[in-house]
Amino acid sequence: MSEGQRLFVGGERVEPDAGYYPVTDPATEETVGQAPEASVEQVREACAAAREAFGAWSRTSPGERAAVLGRAAEIIRGRLGPYAELARAETGATTGTARAMQVGVAAARFRRYATVEPAEWAIAPQINEAGPMGRAGVMGALAVRQPVGVVTCITSYNNPWANPAGKVAPALAMGNTVVVKPAPQDPLSVYRMAEALQEAGAPAGVVNVVSGRATEVGAAAVASSDVDMVSFTGSTAVGQRIAEVCGRDMKRQLMELGGKGAALVLDDADLTSAVAGIGTTFSFYSGQICTAPTRVLAQRGVYERLVEQLAAYARRLKIGDPAEADTVVGPLISAEHRARVESYVELGRKEGATVVVGGERPALERGFYVAPAVLADCANDMRVAREEIFGPVVSVVPFDDEDEGVALANDSDYGLIDYVWSGDVARAFRVARQLRAGGVGINTVGRNMEAPFGGFKKSGVGRDVGSYALHAYSEVQAIVWPG
Protein backbone atom coordinates (compact mmCIF):
# COMPACT_ATOMS: atom_id res chain seq x y z
CA MET A 1 0.00 0.00 0.00
CA SER A 2 1.32 3.44 -0.94
CA GLU A 3 2.23 6.08 1.60
CA GLY A 4 -0.70 8.11 2.88
CA GLN A 5 -1.59 11.67 1.87
CA ARG A 6 -0.47 14.25 4.44
CA LEU A 7 -2.40 17.28 5.60
CA PHE A 8 -1.62 20.62 3.94
CA VAL A 9 -1.12 23.30 6.60
CA GLY A 10 0.80 26.54 6.30
CA GLY A 11 2.40 25.43 3.04
CA GLU A 12 3.74 22.21 4.59
CA ARG A 13 2.77 18.54 4.33
CA VAL A 14 1.95 17.57 7.89
CA GLU A 15 1.68 14.07 9.35
CA PRO A 16 -1.88 13.60 10.69
CA ASP A 17 -2.20 13.11 14.43
CA ALA A 18 -5.08 10.66 14.07
CA GLY A 19 -3.52 8.49 11.37
CA TYR A 20 -5.02 7.54 8.03
CA TYR A 21 -8.17 5.98 6.64
CA PRO A 22 -8.83 4.30 3.28
CA VAL A 23 -10.56 6.05 0.38
CA THR A 24 -12.69 3.51 -1.48
CA ASP A 25 -13.43 3.32 -5.20
CA PRO A 26 -17.25 2.89 -5.25
CA ALA A 27 -17.08 0.98 -8.56
CA THR A 28 -14.51 -1.63 -7.53
CA GLU A 29 -14.66 -1.40 -3.71
CA GLU A 30 -10.86 -1.27 -3.77
CA THR A 31 -8.72 1.25 -1.90
CA VAL A 32 -7.73 4.31 -3.93
CA GLY A 33 -5.38 5.76 -1.33
CA GLN A 34 -4.93 6.67 2.31
CA ALA A 35 -6.41 9.97 3.49
CA PRO A 36 -5.20 11.81 6.59
CA GLU A 37 -7.33 12.13 9.73
CA ALA A 38 -6.63 15.49 11.32
CA SER A 39 -6.89 16.17 15.03
CA VAL A 40 -8.89 19.11 16.32
CA GLU A 41 -5.63 20.82 17.26
CA GLN A 42 -4.33 20.45 13.70
CA VAL A 43 -7.51 22.02 12.35
CA ARG A 44 -6.98 24.95 14.67
CA GLU A 45 -3.39 25.21 13.47
CA ALA A 46 -4.61 25.35 9.88
CA CYS A 47 -7.02 28.17 10.76
CA ALA A 48 -4.23 30.02 12.56
CA ALA A 49 -1.96 29.61 9.52
CA ALA A 50 -4.67 31.10 7.32
CA ARG A 51 -5.08 34.01 9.74
CA GLU A 52 -1.34 34.67 9.73
CA ALA A 53 -1.22 34.65 5.92
CA PHE A 54 -4.28 36.85 5.50
CA GLY A 55 -2.66 40.24 6.07
CA ALA A 56 -0.01 39.97 3.37
CA TRP A 57 -2.26 38.15 0.88
CA SER A 58 -5.09 40.69 1.26
CA ARG A 59 -2.64 43.51 0.51
CA THR A 60 -1.45 42.01 -2.78
CA SER A 61 -2.89 43.61 -5.89
CA PRO A 62 -5.86 41.98 -7.63
CA GLY A 63 -3.57 41.42 -10.60
CA GLU A 64 -1.07 39.44 -8.53
CA ARG A 65 -3.80 37.26 -7.12
CA ALA A 66 -5.30 36.77 -10.56
CA ALA A 67 -1.93 35.64 -11.91
CA VAL A 68 -1.74 32.88 -9.28
CA LEU A 69 -5.22 31.68 -10.18
CA GLY A 70 -4.41 31.75 -13.89
CA ARG A 71 -1.28 29.67 -13.41
CA ALA A 72 -3.23 27.21 -11.26
CA ALA A 73 -5.79 26.84 -14.05
CA GLU A 74 -3.05 25.96 -16.53
CA ILE A 75 -1.45 23.45 -14.15
CA ILE A 76 -4.80 21.73 -13.63
CA ARG A 77 -5.51 21.66 -17.36
CA GLY A 78 -2.08 20.24 -18.02
CA ARG A 79 -2.76 17.36 -15.64
CA LEU A 80 -6.32 16.69 -16.76
CA GLY A 81 -5.69 13.01 -17.38
CA PRO A 82 -4.27 11.91 -14.01
CA TYR A 83 -6.47 14.31 -12.05
CA ALA A 84 -9.60 13.01 -13.80
CA GLU A 85 -8.54 9.42 -13.21
CA LEU A 86 -8.21 10.12 -9.49
CA ALA A 87 -11.58 11.87 -9.41
CA ARG A 88 -13.23 8.97 -11.24
CA ALA A 89 -11.75 6.49 -8.76
CA GLU A 90 -12.75 8.52 -5.71
CA THR A 91 -16.31 9.38 -6.77
CA GLY A 92 -17.42 6.69 -9.22
CA ALA A 93 -18.18 9.34 -11.85
CA THR A 94 -17.87 8.28 -15.45
CA THR A 95 -14.60 9.18 -17.17
CA GLY A 96 -16.36 11.78 -19.32
CA THR A 97 -17.92 13.43 -16.30
CA ALA A 98 -14.67 13.38 -14.34
CA ARG A 99 -12.79 15.04 -17.20
CA ALA A 100 -15.34 17.62 -18.28
CA MET A 101 -17.56 18.39 -15.30
CA GLN A 102 -15.12 17.83 -12.46
CA VAL A 103 -11.53 18.71 -13.39
CA GLY A 104 -12.51 20.67 -16.51
CA VAL A 105 -14.95 22.89 -14.65
CA ALA A 106 -12.44 23.41 -11.84
CA ALA A 107 -9.84 24.71 -14.29
CA ALA A 108 -12.46 26.94 -15.90
CA ARG A 109 -13.41 28.40 -12.54
CA PHE A 110 -9.82 29.26 -11.67
CA ARG A 111 -9.47 30.84 -15.11
CA ARG A 112 -12.74 32.78 -14.60
CA TYR A 113 -11.52 34.39 -11.38
CA ALA A 114 -8.14 35.13 -12.89
CA THR A 115 -10.04 37.86 -14.74
CA VAL A 116 -9.73 40.92 -12.54
CA GLU A 117 -12.95 42.86 -11.98
CA PRO A 118 -13.23 46.32 -10.39
CA ALA A 119 -13.39 46.11 -6.62
CA GLU A 120 -14.83 49.56 -6.21
CA TRP A 121 -17.55 51.63 -7.82
CA ALA A 122 -18.62 55.25 -7.53
CA ILE A 123 -21.96 56.23 -6.02
CA ALA A 124 -23.72 59.29 -7.36
CA PRO A 125 -23.12 62.40 -5.17
CA GLN A 126 -25.97 63.23 -2.83
CA ILE A 127 -27.05 66.66 -1.64
CA ASN A 128 -27.63 66.61 2.12
CA GLU A 129 -29.89 69.40 3.34
CA ALA A 130 -28.51 69.00 6.84
CA GLY A 131 -25.62 66.82 7.80
CA PRO A 132 -24.75 65.59 11.29
CA MET A 133 -23.22 68.99 12.08
CA GLY A 134 -26.24 70.84 10.79
CA ARG A 135 -24.65 72.07 7.54
CA ALA A 136 -25.94 71.31 4.06
CA GLY A 137 -23.50 69.94 1.52
CA VAL A 138 -22.71 67.55 -1.29
CA MET A 139 -21.39 64.16 -0.20
CA GLY A 140 -19.38 61.87 -2.44
CA ALA A 141 -19.21 58.12 -1.84
CA LEU A 142 -17.38 55.06 -3.03
CA ALA A 143 -18.37 51.45 -2.43
CA VAL A 144 -15.38 49.15 -2.02
CA ARG A 145 -15.27 45.37 -1.80
CA GLN A 146 -13.02 44.24 1.02
CA PRO A 147 -12.04 40.62 1.80
CA VAL A 148 -13.95 38.95 4.61
CA GLY A 149 -10.85 37.31 6.10
CA VAL A 150 -10.36 33.60 6.71
CA VAL A 151 -12.93 31.40 4.97
CA THR A 152 -13.62 27.80 5.92
CA CYS A 153 -14.77 25.91 2.81
CA ILE A 154 -16.60 22.65 3.52
CA THR A 155 -17.20 20.80 0.29
CA SER A 156 -19.47 18.04 -1.00
CA TYR A 157 -18.52 14.52 -2.06
CA ASN A 158 -20.22 14.54 -5.46
CA ASN A 159 -17.65 16.81 -7.12
CA PRO A 160 -14.25 17.14 -5.38
CA TRP A 161 -12.96 19.48 -8.10
CA ALA A 162 -15.65 21.87 -9.31
CA ASN A 163 -17.25 22.41 -5.91
CA PRO A 164 -14.04 23.35 -4.03
CA ALA A 165 -12.82 25.43 -6.98
CA GLY A 166 -16.09 27.35 -6.94
CA LYS A 167 -15.32 28.37 -3.37
CA VAL A 168 -11.55 28.68 -3.30
CA ALA A 169 -11.05 30.62 -6.54
CA PRO A 170 -13.37 33.59 -5.83
CA ALA A 171 -12.36 33.64 -2.16
CA LEU A 172 -8.68 33.97 -3.10
CA ALA A 173 -9.44 36.45 -5.86
CA MET A 174 -11.01 38.76 -3.28
CA GLY A 175 -7.97 38.51 -1.00
CA ASN A 176 -9.24 35.97 1.53
CA THR A 177 -7.31 32.97 2.78
CA VAL A 178 -8.95 29.56 3.06
CA VAL A 179 -9.13 26.38 5.08
CA VAL A 180 -10.71 23.60 3.03
CA LYS A 181 -12.36 20.68 4.75
CA PRO A 182 -13.24 18.21 1.95
CA ALA A 183 -15.84 15.48 2.17
CA PRO A 184 -14.36 12.39 3.83
CA GLN A 185 -15.32 10.10 0.93
CA ASP A 186 -13.08 11.77 -1.70
CA PRO A 187 -10.53 14.23 -0.23
CA LEU A 188 -7.48 13.25 -2.29
CA SER A 189 -8.44 15.40 -5.28
CA VAL A 190 -8.67 18.48 -3.07
CA TYR A 191 -5.08 17.96 -1.94
CA ARG A 192 -4.04 17.88 -5.61
CA MET A 193 -5.79 21.23 -6.07
CA ALA A 194 -3.95 22.75 -3.11
CA GLU A 195 -0.64 21.50 -4.48
CA ALA A 196 -1.42 23.07 -7.87
CA LEU A 197 -2.13 26.40 -6.16
CA GLN A 198 1.14 26.22 -4.22
CA GLU A 199 3.01 25.44 -7.43
CA ALA A 200 1.26 28.40 -9.05
CA GLY A 201 2.69 30.73 -6.41
CA ALA A 202 0.11 30.87 -3.62
CA PRO A 203 2.07 31.82 -0.48
CA ALA A 204 2.25 29.53 2.53
CA GLY A 205 -0.93 29.59 4.59
CA VAL A 206 -3.14 31.07 1.88
CA VAL A 207 -4.60 27.62 1.15
CA ASN A 208 -4.84 24.91 3.80
CA VAL A 209 -6.52 21.50 3.60
CA VAL A 210 -7.53 19.34 6.54
CA SER A 211 -9.55 16.15 6.22
CA GLY A 212 -11.10 13.50 8.39
CA ARG A 213 -14.12 11.31 8.97
CA ALA A 214 -14.74 12.56 12.51
CA THR A 215 -17.39 15.26 12.79
CA GLU A 216 -15.07 17.12 15.15
CA VAL A 217 -12.80 17.99 12.21
CA GLY A 218 -15.42 20.01 10.39
CA ALA A 219 -16.82 21.40 13.64
CA ALA A 220 -13.40 22.77 14.62
CA ALA A 221 -12.98 24.42 11.22
CA VAL A 222 -16.33 26.18 11.70
CA ALA A 223 -15.91 27.17 15.35
CA SER A 224 -12.32 28.48 15.22
CA SER A 225 -11.97 32.07 16.39
CA ASP A 226 -9.61 32.63 13.44
CA VAL A 227 -12.42 31.99 10.92
CA ASP A 228 -14.57 34.87 9.65
CA MET A 229 -16.80 33.06 7.15
CA VAL A 230 -18.04 29.55 6.38
CA SER A 231 -18.92 28.42 2.87
CA PHE A 232 -20.73 25.09 3.00
CA THR A 233 -22.19 22.71 0.43
CA GLY A 234 -24.13 19.78 1.82
CA SER A 235 -27.31 18.73 3.51
CA THR A 236 -29.80 21.15 5.02
CA ALA A 237 -29.57 19.41 8.40
CA VAL A 238 -25.81 19.94 8.64
CA GLY A 239 -26.15 23.47 7.25
CA GLN A 240 -28.57 24.35 10.03
CA ARG A 241 -26.11 23.20 12.67
CA ILE A 242 -23.30 25.21 11.05
CA ALA A 243 -25.53 28.28 10.88
CA GLU A 244 -26.22 28.04 14.61
CA VAL A 245 -22.48 28.10 15.34
CA CYS A 246 -21.85 30.95 12.91
CA GLY A 247 -24.71 32.94 14.39
CA ARG A 248 -23.12 32.99 17.83
CA ASP A 249 -20.08 34.86 16.49
CA MET A 250 -21.81 36.64 13.59
CA LYS A 251 -19.67 34.81 11.04
CA ARG A 252 -20.61 35.31 7.43
CA GLN A 253 -22.19 32.34 5.69
CA LEU A 254 -22.69 31.02 2.19
CA MET A 255 -24.88 27.93 2.24
CA GLU A 256 -25.70 25.68 -0.70
CA LEU A 257 -27.97 23.08 0.83
CA GLY A 258 -30.46 20.41 -0.20
CA GLY A 259 -32.76 20.36 -3.18
CA LYS A 260 -35.82 18.52 -4.43
CA GLY A 261 -36.15 20.14 -7.82
CA ALA A 262 -39.65 20.27 -9.28
CA ALA A 263 -39.80 19.61 -13.03
CA LEU A 264 -43.14 20.85 -14.36
CA VAL A 265 -44.00 19.16 -17.64
CA LEU A 266 -46.95 21.02 -19.13
CA ASP A 267 -49.34 19.49 -21.62
CA ASP A 268 -47.78 21.28 -24.59
CA ALA A 269 -44.22 20.17 -23.78
CA ASP A 270 -41.81 18.42 -26.12
CA LEU A 271 -41.65 15.11 -24.26
CA THR A 272 -38.41 14.03 -25.91
CA SER A 273 -36.70 17.12 -24.52
CA ALA A 274 -38.34 16.69 -21.12
CA VAL A 275 -37.34 13.03 -20.83
CA ALA A 276 -33.75 13.80 -21.80
CA GLY A 277 -33.56 16.57 -19.20
CA ILE A 278 -35.20 14.62 -16.40
CA GLY A 279 -33.08 11.61 -17.36
CA THR A 280 -29.94 13.45 -16.28
CA THR A 281 -31.03 12.46 -12.76
CA PHE A 282 -29.96 8.93 -13.69
CA SER A 283 -26.73 9.75 -15.49
CA PHE A 284 -25.27 12.89 -13.89
CA TYR A 285 -23.46 11.69 -10.74
CA SER A 286 -26.08 8.91 -10.57
CA GLY A 287 -28.52 11.43 -9.14
CA GLN A 288 -26.15 12.54 -6.37
CA ILE A 289 -26.60 16.21 -7.10
CA CYS A 290 -28.84 18.80 -5.47
CA THR A 291 -29.94 20.34 -8.78
CA ALA A 292 -31.40 17.10 -10.20
CA PRO A 293 -35.04 17.28 -11.40
CA THR A 294 -36.09 14.42 -9.15
CA ARG A 295 -39.70 15.54 -8.46
CA VAL A 296 -41.54 15.45 -11.76
CA LEU A 297 -44.94 17.17 -11.91
CA ALA A 298 -46.70 16.08 -15.10
CA GLN A 299 -49.93 17.56 -16.41
CA ARG A 300 -52.54 14.85 -16.92
CA GLY A 301 -52.60 15.20 -20.69
CA VAL A 302 -49.00 13.96 -20.91
CA TYR A 303 -48.66 12.06 -17.63
CA GLU A 304 -48.99 8.47 -18.88
CA ARG A 305 -46.81 9.05 -21.95
CA LEU A 306 -44.15 10.76 -19.87
CA VAL A 307 -43.99 7.91 -17.35
CA GLU A 308 -43.76 5.38 -20.17
CA GLN A 309 -41.00 7.28 -21.96
CA LEU A 310 -39.03 7.92 -18.77
CA ALA A 311 -39.13 4.21 -17.95
CA ALA A 312 -38.00 3.30 -21.47
CA TYR A 313 -35.19 5.86 -21.22
CA ALA A 314 -34.01 4.44 -17.88
CA ARG A 315 -33.98 0.88 -19.24
CA ARG A 316 -31.68 1.88 -22.13
CA LEU A 317 -28.91 3.31 -19.96
CA LYS A 318 -25.79 1.23 -19.47
CA ILE A 319 -24.93 0.72 -15.81
CA GLY A 320 -21.43 -0.37 -14.94
CA ASP A 321 -17.74 0.40 -14.81
CA PRO A 322 -17.39 4.21 -15.04
CA ALA A 323 -13.99 3.79 -16.71
CA GLU A 324 -15.66 2.27 -19.79
CA ALA A 325 -16.48 4.83 -22.46
CA ASP A 326 -20.08 3.73 -23.02
CA THR A 327 -21.09 3.61 -19.35
CA VAL A 328 -23.82 6.12 -18.50
CA VAL A 329 -24.74 5.27 -14.91
CA GLY A 330 -21.99 4.71 -12.37
CA PRO A 331 -22.14 3.67 -8.72
CA LEU A 332 -23.30 5.55 -5.67
CA ILE A 333 -20.61 6.84 -3.34
CA SER A 334 -20.77 4.12 -0.68
CA ALA A 335 -22.52 0.97 0.50
CA GLU A 336 -24.23 3.01 3.21
CA HIS A 337 -25.63 5.48 0.71
CA ARG A 338 -26.75 2.67 -1.59
CA ALA A 339 -28.73 1.19 1.29
CA ARG A 340 -30.29 4.61 1.93
CA VAL A 341 -31.41 4.99 -1.70
CA GLU A 342 -32.78 1.44 -1.75
CA SER A 343 -34.73 2.15 1.43
CA TYR A 344 -36.42 5.11 -0.26
CA VAL A 345 -37.51 2.97 -3.21
CA GLU A 346 -39.05 0.49 -0.77
CA LEU A 347 -40.62 3.36 1.17
CA GLY A 348 -42.22 4.58 -2.06
CA ARG A 349 -43.83 1.17 -2.53
CA LYS A 350 -45.20 1.26 1.01
CA GLU A 351 -46.54 4.78 0.47
CA GLY A 352 -48.51 3.59 -2.56
CA ALA A 353 -46.24 4.54 -5.43
CA THR A 354 -45.72 2.19 -8.37
CA VAL A 355 -42.10 1.31 -9.08
CA VAL A 356 -42.31 1.28 -12.87
CA VAL A 357 -38.67 0.42 -13.39
CA GLY A 358 -35.41 0.15 -11.46
CA GLY A 359 -34.46 0.41 -7.83
CA GLU A 360 -32.74 -2.98 -7.75
CA ARG A 361 -29.03 -3.84 -7.69
CA PRO A 362 -27.79 -4.73 -11.17
CA ALA A 363 -26.01 -8.03 -11.73
CA LEU A 364 -22.50 -6.71 -11.14
CA GLU A 365 -19.94 -8.47 -8.95
CA ARG A 366 -18.69 -5.33 -7.22
CA GLY A 367 -19.64 -1.73 -6.76
CA PHE A 368 -22.38 0.26 -5.03
CA TYR A 369 -24.90 0.34 -7.88
CA VAL A 370 -28.65 0.97 -7.98
CA ALA A 371 -30.58 0.77 -11.25
CA PRO A 372 -32.32 4.05 -12.25
CA ALA A 373 -35.83 4.06 -10.82
CA VAL A 374 -39.08 5.70 -11.91
CA LEU A 375 -41.81 5.91 -9.27
CA ALA A 376 -45.27 6.70 -10.66
CA ASP A 377 -48.65 7.33 -9.00
CA CYS A 378 -46.95 9.53 -6.43
CA ALA A 379 -48.61 12.23 -4.35
CA ASN A 380 -46.82 15.37 -3.29
CA ASP A 381 -47.18 14.49 0.39
CA MET A 382 -45.24 11.22 0.05
CA ARG A 383 -41.75 11.23 1.56
CA VAL A 384 -40.28 10.10 -1.77
CA ALA A 385 -41.68 13.33 -3.26
CA ARG A 386 -40.62 15.60 -0.41
CA GLU A 387 -37.24 14.37 0.85
CA GLU A 388 -33.91 14.54 -0.93
CA ILE A 389 -33.00 10.98 -1.92
CA PHE A 390 -29.72 11.91 -3.64
CA GLY A 391 -29.76 9.00 -6.04
CA PRO A 392 -31.07 7.90 -9.46
CA VAL A 393 -34.74 7.97 -8.40
CA VAL A 394 -37.48 10.07 -10.01
CA SER A 395 -40.93 10.49 -8.45
CA VAL A 396 -43.75 11.46 -10.85
CA VAL A 397 -46.80 13.35 -9.56
CA PRO A 398 -49.80 14.16 -11.82
CA PHE A 399 -51.63 17.50 -11.78
CA ASP A 400 -54.62 18.97 -13.63
CA ASP A 401 -54.10 22.65 -14.41
CA GLU A 402 -51.29 25.17 -14.39
CA ASP A 403 -52.24 26.72 -11.05
CA GLU A 404 -52.21 23.32 -9.36
CA GLY A 405 -48.81 22.53 -10.87
CA VAL A 406 -47.33 25.76 -9.50
CA ALA A 407 -48.88 25.13 -6.08
CA LEU A 408 -47.44 21.62 -5.95
CA ALA A 409 -44.00 22.84 -7.04
CA ASN A 410 -43.98 25.45 -4.29
CA ASP A 411 -45.24 23.00 -1.67
CA SER A 412 -41.75 21.99 -0.61
CA ASP A 413 -39.22 22.81 2.07
CA TYR A 414 -36.67 23.23 -0.70
CA GLY A 415 -36.24 25.84 -3.40
CA LEU A 416 -32.95 25.41 -5.22
CA ILE A 417 -33.57 24.71 -8.92
CA ASP A 418 -36.93 24.05 -10.59
CA TYR A 419 -37.64 23.32 -14.24
CA VAL A 420 -40.46 24.00 -16.70
CA TRP A 421 -41.07 22.24 -20.00
CA SER A 422 -43.56 23.85 -22.36
CA GLY A 423 -43.85 24.47 -26.10
CA ASP A 424 -45.05 27.99 -25.32
CA VAL A 425 -42.06 29.99 -24.08
CA ALA A 426 -44.22 32.86 -22.83
CA ARG A 427 -46.25 30.38 -20.79
CA ALA A 428 -43.07 28.80 -19.43
CA PHE A 429 -41.73 32.19 -18.34
CA ARG A 430 -45.05 33.02 -16.69
CA VAL A 431 -44.90 29.79 -14.71
CA ALA A 432 -41.21 30.25 -13.88
CA ARG A 433 -41.83 33.65 -12.30
CA GLN A 434 -44.30 32.02 -9.88
CA LEU A 435 -41.88 29.37 -8.63
CA ARG A 436 -40.20 29.84 -5.26
CA ALA A 437 -36.77 28.64 -6.31
CA GLY A 438 -33.37 30.27 -6.66
CA GLY A 439 -33.16 29.18 -10.29
CA VAL A 440 -35.51 27.92 -12.99
CA GLY A 441 -34.54 26.10 -16.16
CA ILE A 442 -36.91 26.48 -19.11
CA ASN A 443 -36.77 23.51 -21.47
CA THR A 444 -33.26 22.75 -20.25
CA VAL A 445 -31.27 21.46 -17.29
CA GLY A 446 -28.21 23.46 -18.40
CA ARG A 447 -26.74 26.32 -16.41
CA ASN A 448 -25.29 29.69 -17.29
CA MET A 449 -22.16 29.82 -15.15
CA GLU A 450 -22.42 33.60 -14.73
CA ALA A 451 -26.00 33.45 -13.42
CA PRO A 452 -26.46 33.63 -9.63
CA PHE A 453 -26.69 30.24 -7.96
CA GLY A 454 -28.36 29.57 -4.63
CA GLY A 455 -31.64 28.63 -3.05
CA PHE A 456 -34.84 29.86 -1.47
CA LYS A 457 -36.22 28.43 1.77
CA LYS A 458 -34.18 25.54 3.23
CA SER A 459 -32.03 25.22 0.11
CA GLY A 460 -29.54 27.77 1.30
CA VAL A 461 -28.42 31.29 2.05
CA GLY A 462 -26.64 33.61 -0.38
CA ARG A 463 -25.63 33.44 -4.03
CA ASP A 464 -22.42 32.52 -5.78
CA VAL A 465 -21.04 31.81 -9.27
CA GLY A 466 -19.74 34.50 -11.63
CA SER A 467 -19.51 38.00 -10.21
CA TYR A 468 -21.99 37.04 -7.49
CA ALA A 469 -19.29 34.91 -5.87
CA LEU A 470 -17.00 37.94 -5.63
CA HIS A 471 -19.70 39.68 -3.61
CA ALA A 472 -20.31 36.54 -1.54
CA TYR A 473 -16.66 36.40 -0.46
CA SER A 474 -16.33 40.09 0.32
CA GLU A 475 -17.65 42.77 2.59
CA VAL A 476 -18.85 46.05 1.09
CA GLN A 477 -17.30 49.12 2.63
CA ALA A 478 -18.65 52.64 2.02
CA ILE A 479 -16.17 55.53 1.96
CA VAL A 480 -17.83 58.94 2.14
CA TRP A 481 -16.34 62.44 1.83
CA PRO A 482 -17.53 66.04 1.32
CA GLY A 483 -17.84 66.83 -2.37
Side-chain angles (χ1 to χ4, degrees), residues 193-226:
M193 183 184 300
E195 291 163 5
L197 280 161
Q198 183 183 50
E199 190 175 331
V206 168
V207 179
N208 307 272
V209 184
V210 288
S211 57
R213 294 174 296 182
T215 57
E216 290 80 6
V217 175
V222 170
S224 169
S225 60
D226 286 311

Side-chain angles (χ1 to χ4, degrees), residues 182-201:
Q185 297 92 335
D186 49 13
L188 302 179
S189 290
V190 181
Y191 284 102
R192 301 290 88 73
M193 183 184 300
E195 291 163 5
L197 280 161
Q198 183 183 50
E199 190 175 331

Side-chain angles (χ1 to χ4, degrees), residues 21 23-27 32-33 35 83-93 102 157 160-161 182-192 331-334:
Y21 67 91
V23 175
T24 301
D25 183 332
V32 176
Y83 284 172
E85 176 60 22
L86 175 60
R88 183 204 59 72
E90 283 194 288
T91 66
Q102 294 188 346
Y157 73 71
W161 279 95
Q185 297 92 335
D186 49 13
L188 302 179
S189 290
V190 181
Y191 284 102
R192 301 290 88 73
L332 298 173
I333 192 67
S334 66

Side-chain angles (χ1 to χ4, degrees), residues 111-429:
R111 171 53 59 192
R112 161 66 179 84
Y113 295 106
T115 303
V116 180
E117 295 186 7
E120 58 186 45
W121 58 100
I123 297 172
Q126 180 181 346
I127 299 175
N128 293 337
E129 294 186 4
M133 293 179 286
R135 297 193 299 271
V138 178
M139 300 301 295
L142 190 68
V144 181
R145 282 201 298 257
Q146 297 279 16
V148 179
V150 176
V151 181
T152 285
C153 302
I154 303 179
T155 65
S156 59
Y157 73 71
N158 58 356
N159 196 325
W161 279 95
N163 184 261
K167 300 176 185 297
V168 172
L172 297 187
M174 285 309 306
N176 302 285
T177 55
V178 299
V179 177
V180 186
K181 196 281 176 185
Q185 297 92 335
D186 49 13
L188 302 179
S189 290
V190 181
Y191 284 102
R192 301 290 88 73
M193 183 184 300
E195 291 163 5
L197 280 161
Q198 183 183 50
E199 190 175 331
V206 168
V207 179
N208 307 272
V209 184
V210 288
S211 57
R213 294 174 296 182
T215 57
E216 290 80 6
V217 175
V222 170
S224 169
S225 60
D226 286 311
V227 170
D228 303 289
M229 175 180 174
V230 176
S231 176
F232 172 71
T233 299
S235 72
T236 296
V238 175
Q240 289 170 322
R241 294 198 294 271
I242 291 173
E244 291 173 0
V245 176
C246 289
R248 290 197 289 268
D249 291 321
M250 299 305 294
K251 294 180 181 181
R252 301 299 180 258
Q253 303 166 47
L254 180 60
M255 297 280 184
E256 185 206 330
L257 306 178
K260 189 71 175 179
L264 280 82
V265 183
L266 303 178
D267 54 11
D268 59 354
D270 177 346
L271 292 191
T272 300
S273 172
V275 167
I278 296 164
T280 60
T281 298
F282 308 137
S283 58
F284 196 44
Y285 302 130
S286 299
Q288 298 169 110
I289 184 166
C290 53
T291 57
T294 56
R295 185 168 55 113
V296 178
L297 309 177
Q299 200 160 6
R300 295 225 181 246
V302 296
Y303 173 78
E304 290 187 3
R305 284 185 291 146
L306 181 66
V307 169
E308 180 182 324
Q309 291 183 32
L310 269 174
Y313 184 93
R315 289 188 185 100
R316 291 196 300 268
L317 303 178
K318 180 189 172 183
I319 309 168
D321 184 353
E324 296 180 2
D326 59 343
T327 293
V328 180
V329 182
L332 298 173
I333 192 67
S334 66
E336 293 79 10
H337 189 57
R338 177 181 59 186
R340 180 178 185 272
V341 172
E342 290 172 330
S343 72
Y344 268 105
V345 175
E346 183 58 30
L347 174 63
R349 282 195 182 94
K350 292 178 180 177
E351 289 182 309
T354 300
V355 181
V356 182
V357 67
E360 74 281 0
R361 298 185 186 184
L364 297 168
E365 292 183 3
R366 293 179 297 178
F368 310 127
Y369 294 92
V370 172
V374 176
L375 277 56
D377 305 319
C378 295
N380 207 49
D381 60 354
M382 292 180 176
R383 286 179 60 190
V384 290
R386 302 195 69 82
E387 298 177 12
E388 187 176 37
I389 299 173
F390 224 58
V393 181
V394 167
S395 304
V396 190
V397 179
F399 68 91
D400 290 313
D401 57 31
E402 191 177 295
D403 288 344
E404 183 188 7
V406 170
L408 288 172
N410 288 335
D411 181 17
S412 173
D413 290 337
Y414 298 109
L416 187 57
I417 304 288
D418 285 347
Y419 305 89
V420 180
W421 270 274
S422 171
D424 182 339
V425 174
R427 181 188 188 194
F429 268 89

